[in-house]
Amino acid sequence: MSAGETIIAVRAQPGARRDEIVGLRDGVLVARVSAPALEGRANQALCRLIARALGIRRSQVSILRGERARDKLIRVEGVDRDYIGDTFGPAG
């Protein structure tokens, strides 16, 4: 992992009523997106949601693992772990 890069575990819930970050559960970020889990639409919506919540560009957020699963590893570039923790709440 390079400087300015953070990896976070995310549990995605596609097909929700609205896009929202639910919070951290046991150190895993839980996020809901309205896009269906079809042709990568939910993944794109998830990356946009995380980028918007952190105030960064969409291109700074990418999926490392779990493109076809609900549990994912997401790479966030240019943001440190403390900022992510402050934004989404303490890991619990």
Side-chain angles (χ1 to χ4, degrees):
M1 184 164 58
S2 65
E5 179 180 287
T6 302
I7 307 299
I8 57 174
V10 176
R11 171 79 176 188
Q13 298 174 349
R17 287 185 180 212
R18 65 176 185 224
D19 294 350
E20 65 181 334
I21 302 289
V22 177
L24 287 171
R25 288 190 194 143
D26 298 323
V28 176
L29 181 68
V30 178
R32 296 181 183 137
V33 293
S34 58
L38 199 85
E39 299 173 358
R41 288 189 229 166
N43 288 336
Q44 292 170 2
L46 177 63
C47 290
R48 277 194 308 270
L49 176 63
I50 291 171
R52 187 170 51 243
L54 293 172
I56 59 176
R57 294 184 318 273
R58 160 58 187 94
S59 61
Q60 291 175 262
V61 180
S62 60
I63 297 175
L64 284 179
R65 188 173 21 171
E67 285 190 5
R68 298 177 64 107
R70 288 179 186 236
D71 295 320
K72 303 174 185 299
L73 285 182
I74 305 285
R75 175 186 308 164
V76 181
E77 297 175 20
V79 177
D80 65 19
R81 184 166 294 283
D82 290 336
Y83 180 74
I84 291 173
D86 291 345
T87 302
F88 298 132

